[in-house]
Amino acid sequence: MKDVFIQACRGIKPQYTPVWFMRQAGRYMPQYQKIRQKYDFLTMCKTPEIAAEVTMQPVKVLNVDAAILFSDILIPLEAMGLKIEFIDEKGPVVSPAIRTIDNLKKLKNIELNAVDFVFKAIKILIKELDVPLIGFSASPFTLATYVIEGSSSKDFFHTKKFMFSDSSGFHQLLSSLTESTIVYLNGQIKAGVNAIQIFDTWAGILSPYDYEIFCKPYVKRILESLKQTVPVIYFSSNTSGLAKHINDSGADVVSLDWRIDMKDACHLFEYKPLQGNLDPLALLGQEMEIFKRVEKILNAGKSAKAHIFNLGHGVNINTQVDTLKKVVDFVHAFKSVED
């Protein structure tokens, strides 16, 4: 197995910068679209053979250094007693919404049998892949936003109302989600994933003060529970103002969005490997402009303990496969000004 990605996660600088892309298995790929015409998204996630095939598509086409399991951060919610739907043009819908402490009884501890399809897909993949496989989950706070809002949100009114009006009840919700997430991630590790990424997509809606109270303790609890069995990457979005707190989380790797300069990040996260941080929509621009930005990130990333090239968020549906292939080749061949 190629191990440059794992080396970088462990803080060992490999012979070249490893690269993979968040949401690299998805709608921008013709191979994916062909399968998607036959099955709805949830069926694809729940059918191990399909999930494995879609996971492997970008590895074969792009020559990336890691695969990420084709699934969704909301998948475990069904195994906790809630219903999830993925509606075209609207996105995920979770029901019933949990907005008070009285609603908490609707949420159960996770039943692993109900997500066994995830573990079956992992077992297929570890036999087929020649690169490491990344498993993942949402952070407890990000999961809580979907559980409370019922879908994505612009202002997170219900989340913040619950959080500020009944902090005790909100902590109970976070604790419940944390314990189930730990069980879910340990199940993925037992099935064979080589690394874990925690997606804290909506942590950026919090002030530093509230991040310390409602987000960080639960992320730390998850990280401590995994006991360094595999490296753990922590991704968050729009959180440059939370860098100090994220640095203290205990994650092995910090994944950056595009709203922070890589040079500044190398200084702020002096002792951690970093991942990121190209704006996904930069890939829709002219080739010269794309590579100018990629090169800038790669040069700055040389100052990090180790650097994994990635986007600051998932691949946009309008991205050309050929563009991604060229970026992968460029990253692999890159020599910094100091080399």
Side-chain angles (χ1 to χ4, degrees), residues 249-277:
S249 68
D252 296 295
V253 183
V254 174
S255 190
L256 308 164
D257 70 8
W258 63 94
R259 299 175 181 91
I260 184 170
D261 188 275
M262 180 59 81
K263 275 188 180 178
D264 295 336
C266 289
H267 174 70
L268 288 165
F269 301 102
E270 186 177 357
Y271 303 109
K272 287 189 185 298
L274 299 178
Q275 178 176 276
N277 68 328

Side-chain angles (χ1 to χ4, degrees), residues 1-3 5 20 24-25 48 51-70 120-135 191-195:
M1 180 187 290
K2 297 177 187 175
D3 63 353
F5 167 75
W20 69 280
Q24 67 186 9
E53 181 181 351
V54 174
T55 300
M56 289 188 286
Q57 286 175 349
V59 178
K60 294 174 180 176
V61 172
L62 302 177
N63 193 31
V64 286
D65 298 294
I68 184 163
L69 179 68
F70 178 75
K120 286 179 178 176
I122 291 168
K123 289 172 182 176
I124 293 170
L125 284 162
I126 59 173
K127 293 177 182 176
E128 300 288 336
L129 288 168
D130 64 353
V131 296
L133 176 63
I134 304 167
V193 298
N194 307 105

Side-chain angles (χ1 to χ4, degrees), residues 3 21 39 56 97-98 173 196 200 211 240 290 296 320:
D3 63 353
F21 302 106
Y39 307 99
M56 289 188 286
I98 295 175
L173 171 60
I196 290 290
D200 216 345
Y211 180 86
S240 298
I290 295 170
K296 183 178 184 294
Q320 296 296 310

